[in-house]
Amino acid sequence: MIGEIELKPCPFCGGEVVKIKAPLGTEMFICHKCGMDVCFFGAEHEPKATAVYNRRKDNG
Ligand SMILES: [Zn+2]
């Protein structure tokens, strides 16, 4: 079953990134390998936050 949008690997170390739902409509993306974490306030719609995270200047 395909429904989840796949997350791109960590931009710093290439490690696996997990998404965590934080309070106040915040989506957090955390890399367990290097400790990177980013969050998007007000991204109440999960696909939107994921799309923003996945958006890169290059297409790599
Ligand atoms: Zn990383």
Side-chain angles (χ1 to χ4, degrees), residues 21-50:
K21 195 157 190 65
L24 303 175
T26 303
E27 301 284 345
M28 289 190 72
F29 298 87
I30 296 173
C31 173
H32 287 304
K33 196 172 176 183
C34 73
M36 175 215 75
D37 68 88
V38 291
C39 62
F40 296 96
F41 289 102
E44 66 275 7
H45 301 296
E46 286 186 33
K48 181 182 176 187
T50 302

